[in-house]
């Protein structure tokens, strides 16, 4: 009951639904034999294994080896000026402190 129904075809879900109903009948039967329970589990497991996934969206383009397309813009707008300016100021601070030590 916890499967995401949107991921599977309706035809394969119908088979699972039918097996779930049969398994529920066995589950709710207090006089069910061990063989009936095992048969219901086996049939439900087989139906779950037979689920067919919905086709993947085919509108998505794939990058193939040898493509000469331009890379994808990620929206990264980091300005390198601020880190470089910080590094220059730190370097001046270190240089100035070393010069004072030698005086």
């Amino acid at each position: 009951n916890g499967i995401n129904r949107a991921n599977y075809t309706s035809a394969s879900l119908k088979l699972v639904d039918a097996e779930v109903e049969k398994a529920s009948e066995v589950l709710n039967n207090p006089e069910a034999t061990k063989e009936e329970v095992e048969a219901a589990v086996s049939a439900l497991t087989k139906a779950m294994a037979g689920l067919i996934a919905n086709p993947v969206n085919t509108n998505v383009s794939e990058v193939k080896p040898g493509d000469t397309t331009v890379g994808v813009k990620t929206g990264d707008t980091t300005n390198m000026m601020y880190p470089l300016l910080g590094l220059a100021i730190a370097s001046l601070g270190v240089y100035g402190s070393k010069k004072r030590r030698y005086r």
Side-chain angles (χ1 to χ4, degrees):
N1 291 333
I3 61 173
N4 187 351
R5 300 181 71 82
N7 292 339
Y8 301 102
T9 62
S10 60
S12 64
L13 284 171
K14 285 180 185 178
L15 295 173
V16 170
D17 290 340
E19 292 303 325
V20 167
E21 286 181 33
K22 292 177 188 175
S24 294
E25 290 174 11
V26 173
L27 178 66
N28 294 326
N29 181 4
E31 297 177 7
T33 64
K34 181 179 178 182
E35 290 78 20
E36 289 174 330
V37 172
E38 289 175 352
V41 169
S42 175
L44 186 56
T45 303
K46 185 177 179 182
M48 293 286 291
L51 281 173
I52 300 170
N54 279 331
V56 179
N57 186 1
T58 57
N59 294 333
V60 177
S61 63
E62 296 180 16
V63 177
K64 297 177 179 77
D67 278 352
T68 57
T69 58
V70 178
V72 176
K73 182 169 176 69
T74 61
D76 189 9
T77 59
T78 302
N79 188 352
M80 290 302 294
M81 189 62 161
Y82 297 115
L84 292 176
L85 183 62
L87 183 62
I89 291 172
S91 297
L92 287 174
V94 169
Y95 177 74
S97 69
K98 286 191 179 224
K99 194 171 187 182
R100 285 186 199 154
R101 287 185 193 166
Y102 291 120
R103 284 187 183 183

